[in-house]
Amino acid sequence: TQLSDGERKFLQHRVARFGLFAGVCFGFFYLYRLILTLFVSVHAVADPSMMSHLAAVGVLIAAGLICRHGTLSVTVIRTVETAAVLGAAAATIVMGSYLPLGVHPQYILVIALTYVLMARSLYVPSTGRRTFVLAVITGVMLVGGVYVAFLRLDVEVWKTLYPGLEGAPANAVSLA
């Protein structure tokens, strides 16, 4: 559907504000992690989870800055919005895949990605179909990322933490 010039400006303004707001929120969580990480080791700042978290911040803020100035077509605005949501989701999933399994990265990812998708769906004018498609793509990426993260599960470590698992087959432990 065609948008009037006023509707296009409104969409561009909302995508810009969404990108900046989500980027700043992700940035606050990054700073929180950075402060805690510096207490452990300066070298941990270069950990892939930290770098991918920073990448998610950068993607969202870049989208906000791109849409903040100038006159962009609806196609460009929607492309920037899609790239921001899916790029931030991908970077966040990579972040989660490097977190220790004991901190339950799957929950962290579900919460972070739910907030991004919820903020986008509430603030950026869009069709239900578009929101659904973005959520499904993000969900598929999330399931794949969590699966890959749990491939590195060390069953022997979990058996020492939970003695009741002793003697259970490896595939039963990984599903527990």
Side-chain angles (χ1 to χ4, degrees):
T1 62
Q2 292 284 14
L3 297 181
S4 69
D5 189 51
E7 292 169 330
R8 185 206 50 75
K9 284 179 183 176
F10 182 73
L11 174 65
Q12 183 173 338
H13 172 76
R14 285 295 183 101
V15 171
R17 300 268 309 258
F18 161 73
L20 293 172
F21 175 75
V24 167
C25 287
F26 265 58
F28 280 129
F29 283 108
Y30 176 79
L31 287 175
Y32 172 76
R33 288 185 67 209
L34 181 65
I35 291 167
L36 293 178
T37 301
L38 289 173
F39 283 114
V40 175
S41 168
V42 174
H43 302 293
V45 173
D47 181 73
S49 74
M50 294 296 288
M51 300 308 286
S52 54
H53 191 157
L54 188 58
V57 172
V59 166
L60 290 166
I61 288 178
L65 293 176
I66 288 169
C67 289
R68 193 162 186 206
H69 301 290
T71 302
L72 304 176
S73 70
V74 173
T75 304
V76 171
I77 296 167
R78 289 295 188 196
T79 302
V80 168
E81 170 203 0
T82 302
V85 170
L86 297 180
T92 303
I93 291 166
V94 169
M95 175 200 74
S97 70
Y98 284 100
L99 293 175
L101 297 178
V103 301
H104 298 286
Q106 70 275 20
Y107 297 137
I108 294 168
L109 292 176
V110 166
I111 291 169
L113 296 177
T114 298
Y115 286 156
V116 169
L117 290 170
M118 193 180 297
R120 185 225 156 258
S121 67
L122 291 172
Y123 198 71
V124 176
S126 182
T127 64
R129 171 185 258 164
R130 181 176 179 78
T131 300
F132 176 75
V133 169
L134 285 172
V136 167
I137 293 170
T138 301
V140 169
M141 292 185 334
L142 172 64
V143 169
V146 169
Y147 175 77
V148 169
F150 275 84
L151 285 176
R152 61 186 170 85
L153 176 71
D154 186 354
V155 175
E156 296 308 315
V157 170
W158 285 92
K159 284 182 179 180
T160 61
L161 294 173
Y162 301 100
L165 296 175
E166 200 60 48
N171 61 350
V173 174
S174 64
L175 297 175

